[in-house]
Amino acid sequence: MPAWNPNLRSKTSIRTTETRYFVDPSIATASLGIGPDDLLNDLNTFGLFFETLCVRDLRVFAQALDGEVFHYRDSSGLECDSVVHLRNGSYGLVEIKLGGDKLIEEGAATLKSLAKKIDTTRMKEPSFLMVLTGTTSYAYRREDGIYVVPIGCLKD
């Protein structure tokens, strides 16, 4: 997945190295010989596989809208898991978290930090900020405008 290079207010260096994902995360789990119980006992590894699954789905849905998915990482350590960018210049920032209030808050904080860095005099504001999760039962919009969406709701 290529790196996203927005117009930023700061002079932070953008990391331009591409990120690589399996087309299907089950390839990695099969090659490692791990199953569902192994993943439930190691939530950090499970989170990596979940991110791969989400990126795959985001790419499929973005391509259907004639868009692309990028990642963002800068020299200050700020990262955004996915940036969905459409041909008309609109884009959304997405943080991927398995779930839980603490992780959702961390994802929201990252999204707000990146959104503040974008120079909106030179490019549009993000159309949406979203924390994509695996454990919430329904999608909702927080008071700060950030969407919290379970992966199963993307198809709808």
Side-chain angles (χ1 to χ4, degrees), residues 107-123:
T110 297
L111 293 169
K112 289 183 218 176
S113 294
L114 178 53
K116 285 180 192 172
K117 281 187 158 187
I118 296 169
D119 186 352
T120 55
T121 63
R122 300 180 69 197
M123 66 184 299

Side-chain angles (χ1 to χ4, degrees), residues 2 9 13 25 30 45-46 50 66 76 84-86 93 96-97 104 111 114-115 122 128 135 139 142-143:
R9 288 189 180 104
S13 296
T45 301
F46 187 23
F50 178 69
D66 201 20
S76 72
V84 179
H85 197 275
L86 301 181
L93 307 177
I96 301 168
K97 301 292 182 187
I104 290 171
L111 293 169
L114 178 53
R122 300 180 69 197
F128 66 89
T135 59
R142 296 165 28 126
E143 288 183 19

Side-chain angles (χ1 to χ4, degrees), residues 21-55:
Y21 290 98
F22 281 107
V23 172
D24 184 344
S26 67
I27 295 169
T29 59
S31 68
L32 293 172
I34 57 178
D37 290 337
D38 299 313
L39 292 173
L40 290 174
N41 290 324
D42 183 355
L43 293 179
N44 288 331
T45 301
F46 187 23
L48 296 173
F49 288 116
F50 178 69
E51 182 177 330
T52 300
L53 173 99
C54 291
V55 166

Side-chain angles (χ1 to χ4, degrees), residues 83-99:
V83 179
V84 179
H85 197 275
L86 301 181
R87 224 176 234 270
N88 66 5
S90 62
Y91 63 96
L93 307 177
V94 181
E95 268 296 293
I96 301 168
K97 301 292 182 187
L98 267 177

